[in-house]
Amino acid sequence: MRILVVEDTADIAEAVVMRLEKIGHAVDWEQDGQTAAELIAVQPYDLVILDLTLPGQDGLAMLKGMRARKVRTPVLVLTARSHVDERIGALDLGADDYLIKPFDYGELEARARALLRRSAGQSDNLIRVGPLVIDRAGRIASIGERPLNLTRRELTVLEILAARPERIVPKEELVEQLFNFEQEASPNAVEQFVARLRRKLADAPIEIRTLRGLGYQLAAL
């Protein structure tokens, strides 16, 4: 998934970005609230992780602006403000969840998974397409009882396609979900990931179809 982290404390932001990238997300990081607001206006995200105390524009103003523009992206607020009234204020402005600093990074990952799952209309961390099962929490995929040996990005491509079975996913959308602004990205890289996935799924009743000019589609045979 494509995630934006808006946090001006570098060590916290770098740790969050590292954890999220390690489990397969494409993550952008902004320290300035105004710059982040401008970025959200042009780049769709699956999740925003938002500090409240920011230069340029504070997190509450940024959150209020997002909801006023009907941006429905889930927002997880990170802040050192522990007063109940401040938490209520952020939730009333449209935050979806709240995590108080200092926090456990494992809990942040779990809350991020829950928000992504909720926004996709899924009730648990398992995605099933025929005999294919993807465990989003464990970051593993299997065909029946047989685990698949996948790289981080191969698993992410398979997860994106499996979350929308029988639907066409444009190649450009896969690029956006796989790479942040600082990483070199190209449709050719996506083609390579898909080719490797096809080889690893060759003996399974699961097919990744190419619809020329449109994108990819995952289907159980």
Side-chain angles (χ1 to χ4, degrees):
M1 303 293 109
R2 187 73 177 261
I3 298 174
L4 175 63
V5 175
V6 191
E7 167 64 67
D8 65 332
T9 305
D11 57 345
I12 294 176
E14 288 168 357
V16 170
V17 170
M18 182 184 70
R19 293 286 296 240
L20 294 173
E21 287 185 338
K22 188 175 180 180
I23 57 175
H25 298 298
V27 187
D28 296 314
W29 169 33
E30 286 293 342
Q31 294 177 286
D32 181 90
Q34 183 60 44
T35 303
E38 293 169 358
L39 183 57
I40 288 171
V42 297
Q43 171 63 51
Y45 286 98
D46 298 290
L47 175 66
V48 174
I49 297 177
L50 177 65
D51 185 26
L52 294 186
T53 306
L54 296 166
Q57 183 181 90
D58 71 41
L60 289 179
M62 184 179 156
L63 178 60
K64 185 176 180 179
M66 286 176 62
R67 297 317 187 211
R69 297 193 307 273
K70 309 299 183 186
V71 177
R72 297 180 179 178
T73 305
V75 175
L76 171 59
V77 166
L78 302 181
T79 185
R81 303 177 189 178
S82 58
H83 293 296
V84 172
D85 288 347
E86 291 174 327
R87 281 181 281 174
I88 292 172
L91 292 168
D92 283 345
L93 281 175
D96 297 273
D97 202 356
Y98 205 109
L99 199 53
I100 297 172
K101 300 175 183 177
F103 53 84
D104 180 85
Y105 290 100
E107 182 180 1
L108 181 140
E109 288 181 22
R111 288 177 182 267
R113 279 196 304 272
L115 290 176
L116 291 167
R117 189 174 66 234
R118 190 188 310 163
S119 67
Q122 296 166 345
S123 59
D124 60 28
N125 286 315
L126 299 180
I127 301 175
R128 297 178 177 87
V129 180
L132 171 67
V133 179
I134 299 174
D135 181 346
R136 284 178 153 174
R139 305 307 300 162
I140 55 174
S142 59
I143 298 291
E145 299 297 319
R146 177 173 65 88
L148 295 171
N149 183 21
L150 304 178
T151 67
R152 174 172 57 89
R153 285 206 165 124
E154 287 169 1
L155 178 60
T156 300
V157 170
L158 189 60
E159 178 184 349
I160 294 168
L161 296 174
R164 287 164 274 188
E166 303 288 348
R167 289 175 53 189
I168 300 169
V169 180
K171 191 181 297 183
E172 294 76 15
E173 183 176 336
L174 288 170
V175 170
E176 284 197 352
Q177 297 279 344
L178 288 167
F179 303 98
N180 64 32
F181 287 122
E182 295 181 354
Q183 295 169 325
E184 186 176 347
S186 73
N188 288 339
V190 171
E191 292 172 6
Q192 291 173 14
F193 295 136
V194 169
R196 295 205 296 259
L197 279 171
R198 282 175 171 149
R199 287 196 293 271
K200 294 179 181 182
L201 295 169
D203 59 348
I206 294 287
E207 182 180 39
I208 300 176
R209 300 166 181 164
T210 299
L211 288 87
R212 193 166 300 279
L214 296 175
Y216 298 104
Q217 181 186 62
L218 183 74
L221 301 176

